[in-house]
Amino acid sequence: MKKNKSTILVIAAHPDDEVLGCGGTMARFADEGWGVFSLILGEGITARDSKKNMKKRKKELDSLKAQVYTANKILGVKEIFAYDFPDNQFDSVPILRIIKKIEEVKKKVLPSVIYTHHFGDLNVDHRVTYEAVMTACRPLKQESVREIYSFEVLSSTEWTGPRRDMCFVPSRFINISDTIDRKIKALKCYTSEIRPYPHPRSAQGVMLLAKNRGLEAGLKYAEAFANIRQIIT
């Protein structure tokens, strides 16, 4: 294993978002000797009920948490930080609480690169996560984060209404031809989240997106990102 080149922190709202958004990239950079860490902010289950009930869903929540660790280990993640902010209700939580969690993990990890959600996603938790990341990573002198990229999450990013100011416009394409199989393997760990084709959050849907992004960049398979901030000193 090569010496760590740098440290990447992937900040996702829900379990499986990290794999959908940048699982191939995570595996590639882990293979290349980068330190890759995951921060999952939400519990990802209770929005299926009319009223949040953690006790009622304990078995499913425990199972999903186990899936998080299995999936991320497949991708070569060094450490996973998983929290329990309410599913699809991040906007009901004071955003300062989310920011503080991100800052807490950043202090431990000292990432130079962050991958997170697109600001225009249909899912409210994704949008709040983006805002919290941008606040937690203000470009102050002592800030470790030098680069921030947004990823796309199927069944959210592409379902945003037809507004140009909310569209995901990628400018960074990463070749994941050697790691697409691990991305799919990690995705399949999320047995409660993956759906049958033609749902976009299916193994076939993820493969099709990777092929399409690859076509846009002259690659076999790729993941696409929007460059939010890049500081070169």
Side-chain angles (χ1 to χ4, degrees):
M1 178 65 71
K2 299 176 183 177
K3 184 179 179 182
N4 282 355
K5 297 180 178 181
S6 193
T7 302
I8 292 170
L9 177 60
V10 177
I11 303 178
H14 314 109
D16 85 349
D17 287 342
E18 80 287 6
V19 178
L20 290 166
C22 58
T25 296
M26 294 164 74
R28 172 178 171 163
F29 283 118
D31 289 349
E32 292 179 1
W34 292 59
V36 180
F37 296 80
S38 291
L39 167 55
I40 313 295
L41 291 166
E43 34 86 358
I45 289 283
T46 60
R48 300 167 191 179
D49 299 323
S50 57
K51 186 177 181 181
K52 180 178 177 177
N53 188 332
M54 297 286 282
K55 290 183 179 179
K56 175 184 174 183
R57 293 285 188 173
K58 185 180 186 307
K59 185 176 180 180
E60 292 167 272
L61 289 165
D62 289 346
S63 176
L64 184 54
K65 190 70 65 74
Q67 292 167 26
V68 169
Y69 285 87
T70 303
N72 279 261
K73 288 303 179 184
I74 288 170
L75 301 177
V77 172
K78 292 184 69 174
E79 188 172 358
I80 304 102
F81 302 87
Y83 296 102
D84 296 312
F85 287 106
D87 187 34
N88 275 289
Q89 298 179 59
F90 281 20
D91 55 339
S92 70
V93 178
I95 194 169
L96 184 60
R97 284 181 54 199
I98 300 174
I99 293 167
K100 290 294 185 184
K101 283 297 182 186
I102 295 171
E103 290 177 338
E104 180 183 303
V105 173
K106 276 178 58 226
K107 188 175 181 180
K108 294 178 182 177
V109 173
L110 295 176
S112 57
V113 181
I114 282 181
Y115 289 90
T116 193
H117 289 282
H118 172 54
F119 68 86
D121 277 8
L122 180 64
N123 189 288
V124 65
D125 294 353
H126 296 186
R127 298 197 302 271
V128 172
T129 297
Y130 171 87
E131 292 175 9
V133 167
M134 295 305 294
T135 303
C137 299
R138 298 182 297 278
L140 303 173
K141 185 176 181 180
Q142 69 274 20
E143 176 57 55
S144 68
V145 177
R146 314 310 288 172
E147 300 173 39
I148 302 174
Y149 302 101
S150 283
F151 50 67
E152 55 187 334
V153 173
L154 283 167
S155 76
S156 179
T157 308
E158 81 280 17
W159 284 352
T160 300
R163 288 179 50 183
R164 290 184 179 180
D165 60 325
M166 301 293 276
C167 288
F168 178 75
V169 182
S171 55
R172 176 180 174 91
F173 296 82
I174 295 181
N175 188 347
I176 61 165
S177 299
D178 292 335
T179 55
I180 181 65
D181 290 342
R182 279 162 64 196
K183 174 175 175 134
I184 299 302
K185 183 178 179 181
L187 180 64
K188 288 181 177 179
C189 292
Y190 287 114
T191 55
S192 61
E193 307 304 309
I194 197 168
R195 298 288 182 267
Y197 187 80
H199 194 286
R201 201 168 64 249
S202 61
Q204 296 96 318
V206 171
M207 288 289 287
L208 285 171
L209 179 62
K211 284 182 178 181
N212 184 61
R213 291 308 188 189
L215 286 172
E216 293 176 9
L219 302 167
K220 188 174 181 181
Y221 295 101
E223 286 175 336
F225 304 93
N227 189 337
I228 303 304
R229 179 185 299 152
Q230 188 174 32
I231 300 173
I232 301 174
T233 57

Short mmCIF file of all heavy atoms in Angstrom, two decimals, residues 174-178 180-181 207-223:
data_model
loop_
_atom_site.label_atom_id
_atom_site.label_comp_id
_atom_site.label_asym_id
_atom_site.label_seq_id
_atom_site.Cartn_x
_atom_site.Cartn_y
_atom_site.Cartn_z
N ILE A 174 -14.32 11.12 -13.07
CA ILE A 174 -13.30 10.21 -12.55
C ILE A 174 -13.53 8.81 -13.12
O ILE A 174 -14.64 8.27 -13.02
CB ILE A 174 -13.31 10.20 -11.02
CG1 ILE A 174 -12.90 11.59 -10.50
CG2 ILE A 174 -12.37 9.12 -10.47
CD1 ILE A 174 -12.85 11.71 -9.00
N ASN A 175 -12.50 8.26 -13.69
CA ASN A 175 -12.56 6.94 -14.28
C ASN A 175 -12.70 5.89 -13.18
O ASN A 175 -11.83 5.75 -12.32
CB ASN A 175 -11.27 6.69 -15.08
CG ASN A 175 -11.32 5.40 -15.89
OD1 ASN A 175 -12.19 4.56 -15.70
ND2 ASN A 175 -10.38 5.25 -16.80
N ILE A 176 -13.81 5.14 -13.21
CA ILE A 176 -14.03 4.09 -12.22
C ILE A 176 -14.16 2.73 -12.89
O ILE A 176 -14.78 1.81 -12.35
CB ILE A 176 -15.25 4.38 -11.33
CG1 ILE A 176 -16.55 4.46 -12.17
CG2 ILE A 176 -15.05 5.66 -10.52
CD1 ILE A 176 -17.82 4.38 -11.34
N SER A 177 -13.55 2.60 -14.06
CA SER A 177 -13.66 1.34 -14.81
C SER A 177 -13.13 0.16 -14.01
O SER A 177 -13.62 -0.96 -14.14
CB SER A 177 -12.91 1.46 -16.14
OG SER A 177 -13.47 2.49 -16.94
N ASP A 178 -12.11 0.40 -13.17
CA ASP A 178 -11.53 -0.68 -12.38
C ASP A 178 -12.24 -0.92 -11.05
O ASP A 178 -11.94 -1.89 -10.35
CB ASP A 178 -10.04 -0.39 -12.10
CG ASP A 178 -9.18 -0.45 -13.35
OD1 ASP A 178 -9.58 -1.15 -14.31
OD2 ASP A 178 -8.12 0.19 -13.37
N ILE A 180 -15.91 -0.15 -10.68
CA ILE A 180 -17.36 -0.17 -10.82
C ILE A 180 -17.95 -1.45 -10.21
O ILE A 180 -19.02 -1.41 -9.58
CB ILE A 180 -17.79 -0.03 -12.30
CG1 ILE A 180 -19.33 -0.02 -12.44
CG2 ILE A 180 -17.18 -1.11 -13.16
CD1 ILE A 180 -20.01 1.16 -11.82
N ASP A 181 -17.26 -2.56 -10.33
CA ASP A 181 -17.79 -3.81 -9.78
C ASP A 181 -17.88 -3.74 -8.25
O ASP A 181 -18.85 -4.26 -7.66
CB ASP A 181 -16.91 -4.99 -10.18
CG ASP A 181 -17.04 -5.33 -11.67
OD1 ASP A 181 -18.02 -4.88 -12.28
OD2 ASP A 181 -16.14 -6.01 -12.20
N MET A 207 -25.30 1.21 -13.10
CA MET A 207 -24.39 0.86 -14.19
C MET A 207 -24.64 1.74 -15.41
O MET A 207 -23.69 2.22 -16.06
CB MET A 207 -24.56 -0.61 -14.56
CG MET A 207 -24.03 -1.59 -13.56
SD MET A 207 -22.22 -1.64 -13.49
CE MET A 207 -21.84 -2.49 -15.02
N LEU A 208 -25.90 1.98 -15.73
CA LEU A 208 -26.24 2.81 -16.89
C LEU A 208 -25.73 4.24 -16.71
O LEU A 208 -25.21 4.85 -17.65
CB LEU A 208 -27.75 2.81 -17.11
CG LEU A 208 -28.34 1.54 -17.73
CD1 LEU A 208 -29.86 1.58 -17.69
CD2 LEU A 208 -27.84 1.36 -19.16
N LEU A 209 -25.87 4.79 -15.50
CA LEU A 209 -25.39 6.15 -15.25
C LEU A 209 -23.86 6.19 -15.39
O LEU A 209 -23.32 7.13 -16.00
CB LEU A 209 -25.80 6.62 -13.86
CG LEU A 209 -25.30 8.03 -13.50
CD1 LEU A 209 -25.87 9.09 -14.44
CD2 LEU A 209 -25.66 8.37 -12.05
N ALA A 210 -23.18 5.19 -14.84
CA ALA A 210 -21.71 5.15 -14.93
C ALA A 210 -21.26 5.04 -16.40
O ALA A 210 -20.26 5.64 -16.80
CB ALA A 210 -21.16 3.99 -14.11
N LYS A 211 -22.00 4.27 -17.20
CA LYS A 211 -21.68 4.17 -18.62
C LYS A 211 -21.91 5.51 -19.32
O LYS A 211 -21.09 5.96 -20.14
CB LYS A 211 -22.55 3.09 -19.29
CG LYS A 211 -22.13 1.68 -18.99
CD LYS A 211 -23.03 0.69 -19.74
CE LYS A 211 -22.59 -0.75 -19.48
NZ LYS A 211 -23.45 -1.72 -20.21
N ASN A 212 -23.03 6.17 -19.00
CA ASN A 212 -23.35 7.44 -19.64
C ASN A 212 -22.31 8.51 -19.28
O ASN A 212 -21.85 9.25 -20.16
CB ASN A 212 -24.74 7.90 -19.21
CG ASN A 212 -25.16 9.17 -19.92
OD1 ASN A 212 -25.26 9.20 -21.15
ND2 ASN A 212 -25.39 10.24 -19.16
N ARG A 213 -21.94 8.58 -17.99
CA ARG A 213 -20.91 9.55 -17.59
C ARG A 213 -19.58 9.21 -18.23
O ARG A 213 -18.79 10.10 -18.57
CB ARG A 213 -20.80 9.60 -16.07
CG ARG A 213 -22.02 10.20 -15.37
CD ARG A 213 -22.40 11.55 -15.92
NE ARG A 213 -23.44 12.21 -15.14
CZ ARG A 213 -24.07 13.32 -15.52
NH1 ARG A 213 -23.78 13.88 -16.69
NH2 ARG A 213 -24.99 13.86 -14.74
N GLY A 214 -19.32 7.91 -18.41
CA GLY A 214 -18.12 7.52 -19.11
C GLY A 214 -18.12 7.99 -20.56
O GLY A 214 -17.12 8.51 -21.06
N LEU A 215 -19.27 7.84 -21.24
CA LEU A 215 -19.39 8.30 -22.62
C LEU A 215 -19.10 9.79 -22.74
O LEU A 215 -18.49 10.24 -23.73
CB LEU A 215 -20.80 8.01 -23.14
CG LEU A 215 -21.14 6.56 -23.48
CD1 LEU A 215 -22.63 6.43 -23.78
CD2 LEU A 215 -20.31 6.06 -24.65
N GLU A 216 -19.51 10.55 -21.76
CA GLU A 216 -19.31 12.00 -21.80
C GLU A 216 -17.84 12.38 -21.69
O GLU A 216 -17.45 13.49 -22.06
CB GLU A 216 -20.09 12.67 -20.67
CG GLU A 216 -21.60 12.56 -20.81
CD GLU A 216 -22.33 13.14 -19.62
OE1 GLU A 216 -21.69 13.78 -18.77
OE2 GLU A 216 -23.56 12.94 -19.53
N ALA A 217 -17.02 11.45 -21.17
CA ALA A 217 -15.61 11.76 -20.92
C ALA A 217 -14.66 10.83 -21.66
O ALA A 217 -13.45 10.84 -21.39
CB ALA A 217 -15.34 11.69 -19.42
N GLY A 218 -15.18 10.01 -22.59
CA GLY A 218 -14.32 9.11 -23.33
C GLY A 218 -13.80 7.96 -22.49
O GLY A 218 -12.70 7.45 -22.72
N LEU A 219 -14.58 7.53 -21.50
CA LEU A 219 -14.19 6.47 -20.58
C LEU A 219 -15.24 5.36 -20.62
O LEU A 219 -16.36 5.57 -21.07
CB LEU A 219 -14.08 7.02 -19.15
CG LEU A 219 -13.09 8.17 -18.95
CD1 LEU A 219 -13.32 8.81 -17.58
CD2 LEU A 219 -11.66 7.68 -19.09
N LYS A 220 -14.86 4.19 -20.12
CA LYS A 220 -15.81 3.09 -20.08
C LYS A 220 -16.86 3.31 -18.99
O LYS A 220 -18.06 3.20 -19.23
CB LYS A 220 -15.07 1.77 -19.86
CG LYS A 220 -15.96 0.54 -20.01
CD LYS A 220 -15.15 -0.74 -19.92
CE LYS A 220 -16.04 -1.97 -20.10
NZ LYS A 220 -15.27 -3.24 -19.99
N TYR A 221 -16.39 3.63 -17.78
CA TYR A 221 -17.28 3.93 -16.66
C TYR A 221 -16.71 5.13 -15.91
O TYR A 221 -15.49 5.22 -15.71
CB TYR A 221 -17.38 2.75 -15.68
CG TYR A 221 -18.02 1.51 -16.25
CD1 TYR A 221 -17.24 0.45 -16.67
CD2 TYR A 221 -19.41 1.40 -16.34
CE1 TYR A 221 -17.82 -0.71 -17.19
CE2 TYR A 221 -20.00 0.26 -16.85
CZ TYR A 221 -19.20 -0.79 -17.28
OH TYR A 221 -19.79 -1.92 -17.79
N ALA A 222 -17.58 6.03 -15.48
CA ALA A 222 -17.11 7.21 -14.75
C ALA A 222 -18.15 7.66 -13.74
O ALA A 222 -19.34 7.34 -13.85
CB ALA A 222 -16.79 8.35 -15.72
N GLU A 223 -17.68 8.39 -12.75
CA GLU A 223 -18.55 9.15 -11.85
C GLU A 223 -18.30 10.62 -12.13
O GLU A 223 -17.15 11.03 -12.40
CB GLU A 223 -18.27 8.81 -10.39
CG GLU A 223 -18.80 7.45 -10.01
CD GLU A 223 -18.43 7.01 -8.60
OE1 GLU A 223 -17.43 7.50 -8.05
OE2 GLU A 223 -19.16 6.15 -8.06
#
